[in-house]
Amino acid sequence: MRLYIKRLAIGGSTTAVVILLLMWMKKLVFQESKSTLFKGSVHDAPAGFLKMREWEGEIEKIKFLLRSGVNQSNGGLYNADDFGVGSELRNLRNRDSKDKYNLNIWKSETIPLDREVPDSRPEECMLLKYPEDLPPASVVITMHNEWPSVVLRTVNSIINRTPSFLLKEIIIVDDASDIDVFKAGLGKYVASNFEPGLIKLIHLKSREGLIRSRLKGLHHVTAKVVVFLDSHMEVNKDWLQPLLKEIVNKKETLALAQLDYIDKDTFEYIFYPGYRTRYGFRWNMQFFETYFRPDQTLGKLPSDPLPGVLFVGTGFAVDVEYFKQIGSYDPGMMIWGGENIELAWRVWMCGGQILHIPCSHIGHIERNQPYTFPEGRLNTEMYNYKRAVDVWLGDYKKYVYQQYPGMETMDAGSLEDRKLLPHQLNCHNFTWFLDNIWPELLPYKEGGVLWGMIRTSTGNMCLDNDDYVFQSPNALVVKPCIYDLQRQAFSLSRSGALRTTIHCVIAKSVEADLVLFVENCFLNHPQRWTYKKNQLVHITSGMCLHAMGQREQTIPVLQPCKDDISAQKWLFESKGML
Ligand code: UD2
Ligand code: MN
């Protein structure tokens, strides 16, 4: 990143070198984000690797591939044939077996169902003692067409790594998986391996999707606290106690575990020591990993909980009574997606809190969805997002609609019941949420004195944040105007910050001809700008935003202000954009 800060000389060939450099940097970023852990899911790719590099230097990736053997060592009680998938396994024996389940099912067969995993907690956590009177929890796991040994490894990890007095039951909701034999196989395995009553199996007759399946599971919960997990996870040592502790401290808490990664091909359990993440979102409703702000981490220990904005959707504990009281999940949502954002908004806006608990770690297999979306994935997501924004966003919903053509007029079913919640629960509005919980997100129009795309005076070119959410700080660029707010809308705030959707435009040094950056506004004091006679003046340096180069090769830099040169004229344009 330091490369960017080098002085750029003006002139054709140097400019070309700079552009090549930028392109190369971009390629690097692109390649890195292609190998992201959340690839293919609704998440905006995460920043795990990049963030670590920027903030904490190159940290050795720690990999553990633990005891490996064949599952027959587990007493021969698990057999893929019992689950109706034996022939699938044999057919795939010598092949890369990712086609249907999007993970290496053959590898899963070679790893014990009760393997150990490395203790990924920060050292501070290992010394903690938990109160003895914590309330027990029930775990709800939903699944649709998941590979049996992966599910059983999830269940075994919970039983082996949860003190028995804290585990009331595990409720597995089979969301109408295709293979009927699966039911018999699961029943048989459970009956011969676990204490009677510890595991409750619920087989749904028709596909409900993960949201309604969780609600069905919730219905059977008898403990005070419920934990929702995916069916391809392995909990880590003492994972439950720290979650329960926070719920005892404050009942209105969604207590989140830190997720580690289980590689879908090798089943390695991967974690980054000390890695902590918060999740943010943009107006397209996709979430991404981001830093905690300095004001949130100041004076905190590595074992201290930190407040989140939202969460990925799995690996959390919540008090059952509280969860029901605030409206659990929206039963009108389909298959997958958006329920996590809706719940997070509701918890924060209605007086609760979301805490990231660093002493609770759970591994999760990231893989593309192996199942179908009967209404199509995009429609399903839009449908669920619309249900969420129409209830909670007030006038800000226009920003989400802007990202999804067709959403505004889409019929997303009746919201009559859900719309009562904000009143019944006496909730804050979304302005409060933006002010207090996620100030990083810019409401373009309401966020300043001027807003819009910022167009050069010389052609159809606009300032653009290059969509580098994860790679902050990134260079600010100029691109053809595309009327996409998420990339090209800027706002000049009342305090003079020049903001993009979630960043601020800053200069890393106040010399002329330097590339500018977009960076988290809350890491440092945002720099101030003012807009006079169509010039964008950078107050700190007294210099002006200058479009260096021509057309596609334009780079925005700082240069001494000169009156009447077209390269320093910028026009805010917002008409018709919302
Ligand atoms: C992420 C969350 C997940 C959920 C989802 C958003 C992580 C780590 N997990 O899911 O908890 O919030 O985003 O909606 O980010 N399933 C069903 N019925 C279905 C579809 C899925 O029961 O129709 C099950 C599925 O088998 C799995 C669980 O629901 O056990 C979560 O689904 P996923 O793992 O495919 O989704 P993922 O990890 O992208
Ligand atoms: Mn999952």
Side-chain angles (χ1 to χ4, degrees), residues 105-137:
I105 57 174
W106 185 253
K107 187 77 203 174
S108 179
E109 300 308 293
T110 67
I111 296 172
L113 300 181
D114 60 350
R115 71 166 172 178
E116 296 293 323
V117 295
D119 188 343
S120 54
R121 298 170 300 162
E123 271 176 30
E124 286 79 356
C125 300
M126 301 176 190
L127 304 171
L128 293 182
K129 292 257 175 296
Y130 296 101
E132 279 172 11
D133 55 351
L134 291 170

Side-chain angles (χ1 to χ4, degrees), residues 115-118 120 139 153-162 227 229 232-240 257 260 262 269 360-364:
R115 71 166 172 178
E116 296 293 323
V117 295
S120 54
V139 178
R153 196 171 292 108
T154 305
V155 174
N156 273 299
S157 80
I158 300 166
I159 291 174
N160 292 339
R161 285 190 278 278
T162 312
V227 178
L229 297 184
H232 36 261
M233 300 182 100
E234 283 167 78
V235 299
N236 210 298
K237 188 159 193 308
D238 287 348
W239 68 286
L240 182 60
D260 295 326
I262 301 168
Y269 190 102
S360 176
H361 276 245
I362 308 181
H364 171 253

Side-chain angles (χ1 to χ4, degrees), residues 11 35 76 92 183 190 198 200 257 383 408 445 509 524 527 553 561 566:
S35 65
L92 286 167
K183 294 179 196 163
V190 163
L198 183 58
K200 294 182 182 166
Y383 186 96
E408 185 165 5
K445 206 170 177 172
S509 154
N524 303 303
Q527 296 173 358
Q553 311 211 319
C561 299
S566 57

Side-chain angles (χ1 to χ4, degrees), residues 161-455:
R161 285 190 278 278
T162 312
S164 54
F165 66 96
L166 289 181
L167 183 62
K168 187 79 191 281
E169 66 221 337
I170 299 176
I171 299 168
I172 301 180
V173 185
D174 169 24
D175 186 10
S177 293
D178 294 339
I179 317 165
D180 271 350
V181 198
F182 190 87
K183 294 179 196 163
L186 194 57
K188 192 172 145 197
Y189 183 92
V190 163
S192 43
N193 282 275
F194 304 121
E195 183 190 308
L198 183 58
I199 315 259
K200 294 182 182 166
L201 297 178
I202 298 166
H203 295 283
L204 303 183
K205 289 204 168 52
S206 58
R207 175 106 178 263
E208 296 289 344
L210 92 91
I211 299 148
R212 280 198 294 270
S213 297
R214 282 184 181 174
L215 287 173
K216 300 259 183 205
L218 180 68
H219 194 67
H220 294 266
V221 165
T222 59
K224 185 173 157 38
V225 171
V226 60
V227 178
F228 289 101
L229 297 184
D230 287 1
S231 51
H232 36 261
M233 300 182 100
E234 283 167 78
V235 299
N236 210 298
K237 188 159 193 308
D238 287 348
W239 68 286
L240 182 60
Q241 297 92 315
L243 302 178
L244 296 174
K245 188 180 150 198
E246 296 309 321
I247 291 170
V248 170
N249 275 350
K250 178 171 165 148
K251 185 177 171 182
E252 300 81 12
T253 299
L254 225 80
L256 313 179
Q258 168 71 47
L259 294 188
D260 295 326
Y261 303 98
I262 301 168
D263 188 289
K264 64 181 178 27
D265 298 318
T266 63
F267 283 74
E268 288 167 317
Y269 190 102
I270 300 168
F271 70 98
Y272 304 90
Y275 179 63
R276 305 192 64 172
T277 195
R278 180 167 76 118
Y279 299 91
F281 65 96
R282 293 185 290 171
W283 294 110
N284 65 359
M285 301 286 280
Q286 306 206 349
F287 61 90
F288 54 89
E289 294 193 12
T290 186
Y291 317 105
F292 288 95
R293 292 192 306 265
D295 63 284
Q296 297 175 314
T297 53
L298 193 72
K300 298 283 184 191
L301 297 172
S303 53
D304 286 340
L306 293 175
V309 176
L310 50 80
F311 67 114
V312 293
T314 190
F316 70 98
V318 63
D319 180 279
V320 174
E321 192 180 63
Y322 166 67
F323 187 50
K324 289 181 178 168
Q325 182 208 331
I326 62 164
S328 57
Y329 280 122
D330 172 2
M333 284 191 176
M334 300 198 291
I335 304 293
W336 178 99
E339 90 294 342
N340 52 333
I341 300 191
E342 193 271 345
L343 178 57
W345 289 342
R346 182 152 39 94
V347 165
W348 275 124
M349 287 164 69
C350 310
Q353 61 172 353
I354 292 181
L355 289 184
H356 291 277
I357 318 292
C359 293
S360 176
H361 276 245
I362 308 181
H364 171 253
I365 304 181
E366 291 293 340
R367 49 99 173 95
N368 288 345
Q369 272 77 31
Y371 43 76
T372 55
F373 290 80
E375 307 289 328
R377 173 153 162 188
L378 180 63
N379 274 338
T380 305
E381 284 184 45
M382 266 172 63
Y383 186 96
N384 291 352
Y385 294 160
K386 182 164 164 85
R387 292 188 67 85
V389 301
D390 280 10
V391 174
W392 297 106
L393 256 57
D395 193 33
Y396 296 102
K397 67 183 179 218
K398 60 181 181 279
Y399 296 123
V400 181
Y401 289 165
Q402 205 272 342
Q403 293 290 312
Y404 290 95
M407 188 191 267
E408 185 165 5
T409 52
M410 178 182 206
D411 176 5
S414 167
L415 280 170
E416 218 176 303
D417 289 351
R418 302 304 290 181
K419 281 191 168 166
L420 296 175
L421 288 172
H423 310 286
Q424 282 169 353
L425 302 170
N426 200 12
C427 308
H428 294 290
N429 61 19
F430 201 69
T431 306
W432 177 90
F433 182 87
L434 288 176
D435 288 345
N436 293 279
I437 307 300
W438 186 225
E440 284 87 342
L441 182 63
L442 174 65
Y444 308 108
K445 206 170 177 172
E446 294 82 353
V449 283
L450 271 172
W451 85 279
M453 296 195 306
I454 302 182
R455 185 191 281 280

